[in-house]
Amino acid sequence: MSHEHSKKNLSKLQINKVIDLIDLVAQRQREDFGNISSDIKADGTLITDCDRWSDATIVKGLANITPNEGVLSEEGCQTVPNSSAYWVVDPLDGTTNFSAGIPYWAISIARFVDGEPETAFLDVPALKKRILAIRGQGVWLNGKRLTSQTRLATNSACVSLCSRSIRILQRRPDKPFPGKIRLLGVSSL
């Protein structure tokens, strides 16, 4: 798809359709949670039927919402699409937690335009938390806009990382990390 045909921003209707899609996937994930068995992928990580269903449902839904925009997904196509606007999807980030009955996993979807993130959706089904970020417009948590004041009003200084993220911190061992670190296995959070 050529650059002239790509839309820089999603319309409000398209954003609402992505939210509806996430609602559908989150509902299925909540239903499957605790009643799931997993398989091992070639890279040694876990995968469930719910991962596969979530991926297929999201990829198909995004194709309907934004035709001609490619999708790079953890469980499907893992090549950056050859279109100026494309999606990056992790349909069930935290499969190990999900499979083990730990209610801490996420649905992660981001749209890139000309290689730059434009819109991002992060949904934590078990906690019923959703973050929407739109480049140049702001960030919302469960529909409420976050501001510098709301960020400063929080009393939490906790950062969640996956175990692979520790390497980033190890590059600067002389600098203390400004918060508590929890390794909860969901890198998108």
Side-chain angles (χ1 to χ4, degrees), residues 48-123:
T48 67
D49 286 338
C50 191
D51 282 278
R52 293 180 187 102
W53 179 88
S54 298
D55 188 77
T57 301
I58 291 169
V59 169
K60 181 179 178 184
L62 294 174
N64 289 331
I65 296 166
T66 56
N68 302 317
E69 292 186 5
V71 179
L72 181 152
S73 71
E74 182 173 4
E75 309 311 338
C77 178
Q78 296 185 356
T79 304
V80 174
N82 188 21
S83 56
S84 62
Y86 60 89
W87 296 87
V88 177
V89 174
D90 189 341
L92 202 163
D93 185 15
T95 299
T96 301
N97 289 351
F98 182 79
S99 296
I102 300 168
Y104 199 66
W105 76 89
I107 300 165
S108 178
I109 302 174
R111 181 174 182 258
F112 285 71
V113 176
D114 299 327
E116 297 285 327
E118 182 263 325
T119 306
F121 304 82
L122 182 66
D123 193 86

Side-chain angles (χ1 to χ4, degrees), residues 3-78:
H3 174 69
E4 304 86 51
H5 293 96
S6 75
K7 293 167 75 173
K8 288 288 184 186
N9 293 333
L10 295 172
S11 69
K12 182 138 178 81
L13 178 62
Q14 288 171 311
I15 289 171
N16 287 336
K17 286 183 177 184
V18 174
I19 289 169
D20 290 344
L21 178 61
I22 292 169
D23 286 342
L24 173 70
V25 172
Q27 180 60 37
R28 165 73 185 266
Q29 290 180 0
R30 283 190 295 269
E31 289 170 3
D32 284 2
F33 177 67
N35 302 307
I36 233 39
S37 62
S38 58
D39 300 317
I40 306 271
K41 294 193 287 190
D43 67 1
T45 60
L46 297 179
I47 187 167
T48 67
D49 286 338
C50 191
D51 282 278
R52 293 180 187 102
W53 179 88
S54 298
D55 188 77
T57 301
I58 291 169
V59 169
K60 181 179 178 184
L62 294 174
N64 289 331
I65 296 166
T66 56
N68 302 317
E69 292 186 5
V71 179
L72 181 152
S73 71
E74 182 173 4
E75 309 311 338
C77 178
Q78 296 185 356

